[in-house]
């Protein structure tokens, strides 16, 4: 979503304040959760080879544990003391003695990312690229920039190797592709100012080059992503207006003053549709938190306007278009104040004391007015590795149960995987998050018409570092990998905890059967690669699950704070006081605007080799004769054994030209096959692409469809090209009238039979916020499944140790046995 406050951006010292915040958060967590978990472990083995570790509180029947939750950060939140009655400890395993710890071999075998061709850029590499640009005068500073007329780095990501070269290296022991950074430079010092991208490297060598990826001026300065200097400058411009509007603000919003109680939100994008203008809508938001960077976007105040802010000369910028309770536009704050003073406009008056209730409304702590549910004082189920981890991590390469792939990604587009192989056969070359599109509608001046393309803000560490919460995002035994990001505010690179790797116990069957004389099944386990990211108010968690049978599930999950809008009780458009045309009322002064989250992925299948074919299996229904004739046109008579006069049948259509598909349009299976690779029965080996529950783009003519055309489809198949790396350009959302690299432009009639093809997969959800989004959106998810489709000769997972038993005793198979052990305290 890309939200930020001016405080945040203002703070040159953000990282140190960040780490203080983190530390206090850490302390808070340790105090509140740590004690809950710091208990004696009893591992109880259940029969049937099922093993679940259960924690129990160690205490007598009447003992109580006092949990002190202090949040020093927040003066508004009083420290709380909660008494949790303790569960009685369950009967132990008889002896009551502690078991020995389970073995744990660190799965991380190598930590040098630079050795891996797809590894995300490291801090050292970013520093090296940055210094090279400075030494060659391609940027004007490596200190925190203070003027828009400086040239400085916005983003740095890995520039992935040329695929042809990479394949020679991977498959034929050719030379290893060198590592390059793709560096985005905001060039305020250029005439005219613009944005440029450079490919800088090779990063491992003494002699480097910086190859421009576009011509100067190609990217107009006014279509750049939002950045901190303009936020600081716009805030300065608006401060006199806040002074003029002081009485209005104080009387309307329960005595609120700036900067104590509210902050500016400038990112109600885009700044123009032309890309050559720049006008930034702002509004102000009451903060529920003590630190203004901790934005919640719930209590939007009905005071908003626009700053005209093109170019680099801030003396030419001005504020105009003031709105109060949707009344306006007033050309100046004084005009608005005059109207307010002479009582010619509608006013709002927040209840006295409202501001003091904000912390309790938005801070995500346990509702202490509610009693504990029965048994909620007992620790929930947990899983662990009785024989230690079964995966290995070499730098950024992961190996598990014949799966083998490399972790990649960067701060602009988020997480990615490369070179995904199963049993030494390549299935996917690249599997990457590309962009997230959101569009909001509401009946307010400030919050309506908002369009985000999150890659423009940076999906993984654009503004907000990622961080793995142990025990929440990642089991304590999971492996955490760091990735790096460049922060334009300080012009420095930072490392952050981004990727969690663990093997999950599905606690279900992968397959099962119970017969009269036997029973058999496989307990489902899968490897999870999880990356939670924060984009302003929202948190997205991206996951890929690798299964034993060759399936890959990919999920995009959303949580965090919704971007609310002001609920105007007296809105003349809305007689209904519970909802309006754009959403529900969610609290005294907030409504939840309807919006969508559409996630665009790039999936470059290389089934065995790079040249593949896209095929759609159509589900048909009709008379039998039609079905039979589809195979042999000579058939004239339907045999009598077809009872009904309508039947299902299927039809195969290879797609010969680049094309976009909206999934509900046809009841089809989407496949990628290799025409030259057949299974035992002569069938082309392939994978199915199956979207999970997904919404569709409802807009038909909206200008965003030009720039974010990927949202019109669920799957677009195009011929792979080095110069068509992604499904959006990060500048296009800021120049929607003339997008330069929209996905629609990649659909241009090229032959895709037996070619290196890319599938651009879009899934998403429509979000109508309800009271269950308060204070926090509880995980909403979408995704897609990639499923082997005649890829193997038979189910791939039958090589796994499994459970099978003939009742006559003639056959018994089981999973490996293990010794009962306790989950280690520290992994
Ligand atoms: C910035 O704009 C102001 C007002 O138009 C003008 O006086 C000034 O010369 C401009 N500065 C530059 C560096 O162009
Ligand atoms: C609006 O205010 C600007 C100065 O901020 C002024 O130049 C312009 O003429 C005003 N427009 C109207 C319509 O009053
Ligand atoms: C009230 O103020 C507004 C804005 O300055 C002005 O347009 C309007 O004429 C004023 N009305 C009265 C009754 O004074
Ligand atoms: C990973 O990131 C965290 C948070 O910035 C940092 O404390 C830690 O040192 C990093 N670890 C590595 C191996 O870089
Ligand atoms: C259909 O009939 C034609 C003409 O008799 C024949 O050439 C063709 O091979 C037949 N097709 C099939 C599939 O039997
Ligand atoms: C199929 O059978 C039903 C009744 O059994 C009949 O109503 C319908 O018209 C038939 N349709 C066709 C295409 O023959
Ligand atoms: Cu949402």
């Amino acid at each position: 979503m890309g939200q930020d406050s001016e405080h945040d951006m203002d703070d040159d010292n953000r990282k140190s304040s960040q780490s203080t915040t983190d530390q206090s958060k850490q302390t808070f967590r340790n105090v509140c959760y740590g004690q809950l978990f710091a208990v004696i472990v009893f591992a109880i083995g259940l029969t049937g080879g099922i093993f679940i570790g259960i924690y129990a509180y160690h205490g007598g029947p009447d003992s109580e544990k006092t949990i002190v939750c202090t949040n020093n950060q927040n003066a508004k939140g009083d420290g709380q003391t909660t008494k949790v009655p303790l569960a009685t400890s369950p009967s132990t395993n008889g002896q009551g003695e502690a078991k020995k710890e389970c073995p744990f071999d660190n799965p991380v075998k190598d930590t040098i990312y630079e050795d891996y061709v797809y590894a995300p850029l490291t801090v050292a590499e970013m520093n090296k690229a940055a210094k090279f640009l400075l030494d060659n005068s391609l940027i004007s500073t490596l200190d925190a920039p203070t003027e828009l007329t400086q040239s400085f780095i916005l983003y740095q990501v890995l520039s992935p190797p040329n695929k042809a070269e990479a394949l020679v290296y991977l498959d034929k022991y050719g030379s290893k592709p060198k590592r390059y950074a793709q560096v985005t430079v905001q060039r305020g010092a250029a005439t005219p100012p613009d944005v440029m991208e450079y490919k800088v490297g090779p990063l491992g060598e003494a002699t480097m080059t910086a190859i421009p990826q576009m011509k100067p001026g190609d990217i107009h300065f006014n279509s750049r992503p939002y950045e901190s200097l303009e936020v600081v400058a716009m805030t300065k411009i608006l401060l006199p207006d806040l002074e003029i509007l002081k009485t209005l603000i104080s009387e309307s919003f329960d005595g609120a003053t700036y900067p104590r109680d509210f902050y500016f939100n400038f990112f109600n994008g885009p700044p123009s549709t032309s890309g050559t203008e720049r006008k930034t809508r702002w509004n102000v938001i009451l903060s529920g938190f003590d630190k203004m960077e901790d934005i919640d976007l719930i209590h939007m105040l009905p005071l908003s306007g626009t700053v005209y802010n093109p170019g680099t000369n801030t003396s030419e910028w001005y504020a105009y278009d003031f709105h109060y309770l949707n009344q306006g536009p007033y050309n100046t704050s004084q005009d608005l104040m005059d109207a307010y003073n002479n009582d010619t406009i509608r006013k709002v008056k927040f209840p006295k004391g409202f501001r003091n209730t904000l912390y309790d409304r938005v801070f995500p702590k346990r509702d202490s007015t509610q009693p504990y549910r029965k048994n909620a004082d007992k620790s929930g189920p947990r899983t662990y590795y009785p024989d230690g981890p079964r995966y290995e991590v070499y730098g950024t390469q992961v190996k598990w149960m014949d799966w083998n792939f490399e972790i990649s990604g960067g701060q602009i587009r988020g997480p990615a995987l490369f070179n995904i192989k199963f049993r030494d056969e390549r299935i996917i070359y690249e599997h990457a998050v590309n962009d997230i599109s959101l569009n909001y509608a509401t009946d307010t001046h400030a919050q309506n018409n908002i369009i985000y393309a999150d890659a423009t803000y940076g999906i993984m560490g654009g503004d907000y570092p990622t961080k793995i919460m142990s025990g929440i995002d990642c089991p304590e035994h999971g492996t955490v990998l760091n990735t790096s990001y460049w922060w334009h505010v300080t012009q420095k690179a930072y490392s952050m905890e981004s990727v969690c790797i663990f093997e999950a116990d599905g606690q279900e069957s992968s397959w099962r059967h119970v017969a009269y004389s036997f029973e058999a099944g496989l307990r489902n386990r899968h490897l999870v690669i999880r990356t939670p990211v924060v984009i302003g108010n929202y948190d997205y968690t991206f996951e890929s699950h690798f299964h034993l049978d060759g399936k890959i599930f990919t999920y995009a999950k959303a949580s965090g704070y919704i971007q609310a809008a002001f609920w105007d009780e007296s809105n003349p458009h809305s007689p209904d006081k519970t909802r309006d045309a754009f959403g529900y009322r969610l609290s005294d002064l907030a409504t939840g605007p309807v919006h969508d989250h559409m996630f665009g992925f790039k999936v470059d299948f290389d089934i065995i080799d790079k040249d593949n074919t896209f095929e759609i299996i159509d589900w048909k229904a009709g008379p039998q004769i039609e079905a039979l004739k589809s195979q042999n046109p000579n058939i004239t008579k339907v045999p009598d054994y077809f009872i009904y006069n309508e039947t299902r049948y299927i039809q195969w259509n290879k797609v010969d030209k680049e094309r976009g598909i909206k999934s509900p349009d046809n009841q089809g299976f989407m496949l990628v096959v290799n025409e030259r690779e057949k299974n035992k029965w002569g069938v082309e080996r392939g994978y199915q692409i199956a979207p999970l529950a997904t919404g569709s783009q409802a807009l038909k003519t909206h200008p965003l469809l030009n720039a974010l055309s990927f949202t019109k489809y669920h799957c677009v198949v195009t011929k792979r090209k080095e110069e068509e790396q992604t499904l959006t350009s990060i500048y296009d959302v800021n120049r929607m009238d003339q997008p330069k690299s929209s996905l629609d432009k990649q659909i241009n009639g090229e032959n895709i039979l037996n070619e290196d093809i890319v599938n651009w997969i879009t899934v998403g959800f429509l979000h109508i916020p309800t009271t269950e989004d308060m204070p926090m959106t509880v995980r909403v998810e979408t995704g897609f499944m990639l499923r082997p489709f005649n890829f193997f000769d038979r189910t791939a997972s039958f090589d796994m140790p499994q459970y099978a038993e003939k009742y006559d005793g003639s056959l018994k198979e089981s999973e490996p046995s293990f010794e009962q052990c306790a989950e280690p305290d520290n992994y």
Side-chain angles (χ1 to χ4, degrees):
M1 313 274 289
Q3 291 304 323
D4 223 319
S5 74
E6 79 290 3
H7 292 259
D8 183 4
M9 296 301 207
D10 229 339
D11 184 2
D12 279 359
N13 227 345
R14 173 181 159 145
K15 286 308 125 180
S16 61
S17 82
Q18 178 77 33
S19 68
T20 327
T21 313
D22 282 350
Q23 266 166 24
S24 349
K25 277 185 197 152
Q26 193 64 49
T27 312
F28 176 62
R29 243 200 320 276
N30 286 346
V31 172
C32 284
Y33 292 104
Q35 290 189 2
L36 274 169
F37 294 148
V39 289
I40 305 283
V41 180
F42 293 92
I44 299 175
L46 303 180
T47 53
I50 299 172
F51 190 74
I52 303 171
I54 298 180
Y55 275 112
Y57 291 111
H58 192 60
D62 301 314
S63 62
E64 279 190 336
K65 190 186 296 276
T66 302
I67 299 175
V68 185
C69 296
T70 43
N71 183 354
N72 301 332
Q73 278 299 295
N74 204 310
K76 293 170 192 168
D78 297 334
Q80 290 178 15
T81 303
T82 316
K83 297 218 171 196
V84 183
L86 286 189
T88 55
S89 64
S91 55
T92 62
N93 57 357
Q95 288 78 44
E97 56 196 44
K99 294 200 182 341
K100 75 167 176 59
E101 279 190 358
C102 304
F104 187 83
D105 293 329
N106 191 346
V108 179
K109 308 297 180 198
D110 177 8
T111 57
I112 313 292
Y113 283 13
E114 287 89 341
D115 290 346
Y116 297 84
V117 286
Y118 303 103
L121 288 186
T122 64
V123 167
E125 287 174 328
M126 288 186 183
N127 287 339
K128 191 168 177 193
K131 184 163 182 309
F132 182 78
L133 291 184
L134 185 69
D135 290 348
N136 288 276
S137 305
L138 294 171
I139 52 174
S140 61
T141 182
L142 260 185
D143 296 325
T146 52
E147 302 292 337
L148 275 169
T149 48
Q150 290 172 297
S151 294
F152 55 87
I153 298 171
L154 282 182
Y155 298 129
Q156 289 205 48
V157 296
L158 176 78
S159 173
N162 173 289
K163 182 173 173 180
E165 286 170 27
L167 289 180
V168 171
Y169 164 68
L170 293 170
D171 299 340
K172 307 202 176 91
Y173 307 98
S175 62
K176 187 173 186 171
K178 297 182 168 129
R179 289 171 61 76
Y180 289 84
Q182 178 201 309
V183 186
T184 309
V185 177
Q186 172 168 325
R187 300 202 312 157
T191 336
D194 64 7
V195 176
M196 284 284 280
E197 291 174 8
Y198 299 94
K199 183 176 168 183
V200 183
L203 297 167
E205 295 183 7
T207 310
M208 302 202 298
T209 55
I211 307 156
Q213 301 298 293
M214 59 261 302
K215 289 203 272 306
D218 274 1
I219 301 167
H220 197 284
F221 191 68
N222 291 337
S223 63
R224 74 191 187 282
Y226 285 109
E227 41 73 25
S228 63
L229 291 173
E230 65 176 336
V231 168
V232 172
M234 288 189 291
T235 306
K236 274 198 193 124
I237 284 173
L238 287 169
L239 289 182
D241 296 305
L242 288 189
E243 204 51 41
I244 290 165
L245 295 168
K246 206 168 180 166
T247 316
L248 174 151
I249 292 169
S250 175
E251 286 179 3
S252 302
F253 311 137
D254 184 29
T257 64
Y258 182 85
R260 190 190 63 185
D261 305 313
F262 63 90
Y263 55 95
F264 283 102
N265 171 32
F266 287 105
F267 295 168
N268 297 331
S272 76
T273 58
S274 67
T276 54
E277 284 285 318
R278 201 161 174 98
K279 298 170 188 169
T280 299
R281 261 187 309 155
W282 58 271
N283 72 307
V284 288
I285 308 177
L286 273 188
S287 177
F289 304 127
D290 213 42
K291 266 195 150 325
M292 291 283 180
E293 303 85 322
D294 291 332
I295 58 174
D296 60 77
L297 302 191
I298 302 285
H299 294 103
M300 301 283 185
L301 298 176
L303 175 63
S304 54
T306 305
V307 176
Y308 179 71
N309 66 321
T312 56
N313 187 349
T314 55
S315 333
E316 291 179 343
W317 295 7
Y318 58 87
Y320 67 112
D321 187 38
F322 289 83
H323 282 73
Y324 170 73
L325 214 53
N326 290 341
Q327 299 161 110
Y330 294 94
N331 193 31
T332 64
S333 52
Q334 192 57 55
D335 293 345
L336 168 57
M337 202 57 215
D338 291 347
Y340 182 86
N341 282 335
N342 70 16
D343 286 325
T344 51
I345 58 173
R346 220 156 47 79
K347 296 183 181 179
V348 65
K349 208 170 166 60
F350 283 26
K352 205 165 162 38
F354 181 80
R355 280 189 302 106
N356 296 331
T357 67
L358 289 172
Y359 173 80
D360 280 340
R361 288 168 187 266
V362 300
F363 194 88
K365 62 181 172 18
R366 197 187 97 82
D367 183 351
S368 56
T369 64
Q370 300 286 329
Y372 281 92
R373 298 184 195 186
K374 186 167 186 232
N375 288 336
D377 57 317
K378 296 181 184 170
S379 193
R382 304 162 63 85
T383 61
Y384 62 100
Y385 308 145
D387 280 326
R390 303 199 295 179
Y391 59 89
E392 291 171 330
V393 182
Y394 298 86
T396 51
Q397 186 180 20
V398 180
K399 297 182 179 178
W400 172 77
M401 296 291 146
D402 287 351
W403 283 104
N404 184 339
F405 52 87
E406 296 197 31
I407 288 174
S408 186
Q411 68 180 131
I412 298 179
R413 307 243 171 222
L417 302 172
F418 276 88
N419 197 25
I420 301 175
K421 292 173 130 185
F422 184 69
R423 290 183 186 155
D424 291 330
E425 289 181 317
R426 184 171 302 119
I427 296 171
I428 295 172
Y429 180 73
E430 180 182 359
H431 178 292
V433 178
N434 257 212
D435 213 337
I436 313 167
S437 141
L438 298 92
N439 172 229
Y440 286 77
T442 177
D443 186 14
T444 68
H445 168 255
Q447 297 311 121
N448 196 11
N449 309 306
I450 292 174
I451 300 161
Y452 296 126
D454 280 339
T456 307
Y457 293 91
I459 289 173
M460 186 165 68
D463 277 335
Y464 285 73
T466 65
K467 182 166 193 296
I468 305 281
M469 289 186 279
S470 181
I472 303 295
D473 295 314
C474 191
E476 287 81 354
H477 57 248
T479 299
V480 174
L481 295 190
N482 280 34
T483 64
S484 307
Y485 69 104
W486 182 265
W487 201 39
H488 75 275
V489 174
T490 56
Q491 291 295 292
K492 286 187 169 52
Y494 302 90
S495 185
M496 59 186 172
E497 297 178 349
S498 307
V499 184
C500 166
I501 303 167
F502 65 99
E503 182 176 353
D505 180 4
Q507 296 184 304
E508 62 186 350
S509 65
S510 169
W511 58 263
R512 76 181 296 284
H513 187 63
V514 174
Y516 279 106
S517 71
F518 72 92
E519 62 189 53
L522 177 66
R523 180 165 169 150
N524 195 22
R525 294 190 178 82
H526 56 270
L527 189 77
V528 178
I529 308 297
R530 177 178 292 157
T531 305
V533 303
V534 183
I535 307 173
N537 53 318
Y538 254 118
D539 299 61
Y540 293 115
T541 299
F542 296 103
E543 290 179 22
S544 287
H545 294 195
F546 292 85
H547 285 255
L548 295 165
D549 60 1
K551 286 196 203 84
I552 304 170
F553 284 84
T554 298
Y555 299 98
K557 305 176 175 179
S559 187
Y561 290 103
I562 61 162
Q563 178 156 358
F566 181 70
W567 172 259
D568 180 0
E569 179 75 19
S570 326
N571 182 352
H573 306 154
S574 234
D576 186 337
K577 296 306 167 200
T578 67
R579 58 193 191 188
D580 65 15
F582 309 98
Y584 291 99
R585 182 177 187 177
L586 299 181
S587 84
D588 303 62
L589 299 171
T591 174
V594 60
H595 62 278
D596 61 347
H597 303 247
M598 302 295 279
F599 303 88
F601 291 85
K602 175 183 189 183
V603 180
D604 176 359
F605 269 108
D606 277 13
I607 292 182
I608 317 300
D609 60 46
K610 70 178 178 52
D611 293 334
N612 295 161
T613 294
F614 187 73
E615 185 170 52
I616 294 175
I617 301 183
D618 278 326
W619 279 77
K620 311 277 281 190
Q624 333 290 10
I625 190 71
E626 213 175 271
L628 296 176
K629 273 180 183 288
S630 74
Q631 294 299 301
N632 181 350
N634 296 354
I635 294 174
T636 51
K637 188 178 172 332
V638 178
D640 291 342
Y641 52 76
F642 284 100
I643 299 173
Y644 305 107
N645 64 6
E646 188 184 22
T647 184
R648 284 185 183 290
Y649 65 104
I650 53 180
Q651 235 173 29
W652 290 264
N653 298 301
K654 286 191 168 157
V655 178
D656 61 349
K657 295 270 187 301
E658 295 180 316
R659 180 169 154 194
I661 295 151
K662 196 163 184 167
S663 164
D665 287 355
N666 63 62
Q667 278 201 21
F669 278 27
M670 298 185 284
L671 308 182
V672 177
V673 299
N674 186 325
E675 297 186 350
R676 284 154 285 108
E677 289 284 335
K678 312 277 170 68
N679 70 8
K680 188 173 171 183
W681 314 111
V683 180
E684 292 168 358
R685 301 176 66 188
Y687 258 72
Q688 182 194 357
I689 300 169
L692 305 179
T694 178
S696 304
Q697 180 57 273
L699 301 169
K700 294 185 188 75
T701 60
H702 196 285
L704 78 79
L705 298 174
N706 296 329
L708 304 173
S709 56
F710 73 95
T711 64
K712 296 194 290 187
Y713 313 100
H714 292 102
C715 184
V716 173
V717 52
T718 63
K719 185 168 165 175
R720 186 188 188 282
K721 298 208 177 116
E722 286 295 330
E723 61 277 18
E724 293 177 355
Q725 284 287 346
T726 53
L727 50 61
T728 50
S729 147
I730 62 168
Y731 314 103
D732 279 349
V733 70
N734 291 349
R735 54 179 188 202
M736 291 188 305
D737 295 345
Q738 291 138 332
K740 293 201 174 150
S741 358
S742 161
L743 186 56
D744 267 347
K745 301 204 167 175
Q746 296 188 30
I747 310 172
N748 51 6
E750 280 178 275
N751 171 52
I752 51 168
L753 289 173
N754 235 319
E755 291 281 356
D756 191 1
I757 53 175
V758 173
N759 289 97
W760 309 92
I761 299 171
T762 299
V763 288
F765 31 83
L766 310 179
H767 193 173
I768 302 170
T770 62
T771 40
E772 288 74 20
D773 287 288
M774 302 288 274
M776 198 70 82
T777 294
V778 178
R779 206 178 85 188
V780 204
E781 68 187 57
T782 182
F784 57 91
M785 173 180 70
L786 305 175
R787 178 165 73 121
F789 208 83
N790 295 307
F791 186 86
F792 303 108
D793 290 342
R794 68 199 296 258
T795 304
S797 57
F798 273 84
D799 61 343
M800 286 299 294
Q802 59 178 58
Y803 167 63
E805 187 170 354
K806 284 189 175 174
Y807 300 145
D808 66 6
S810 65
L811 183 142
K812 188 166 166 64
E813 292 184 329
S814 60
E815 294 195 348
S817 62
F818 57 92
E819 256 186 82
Q820 291 189 1
C821 55
E823 183 177 13
D825 271 349
N826 294 301
Y827 284 95

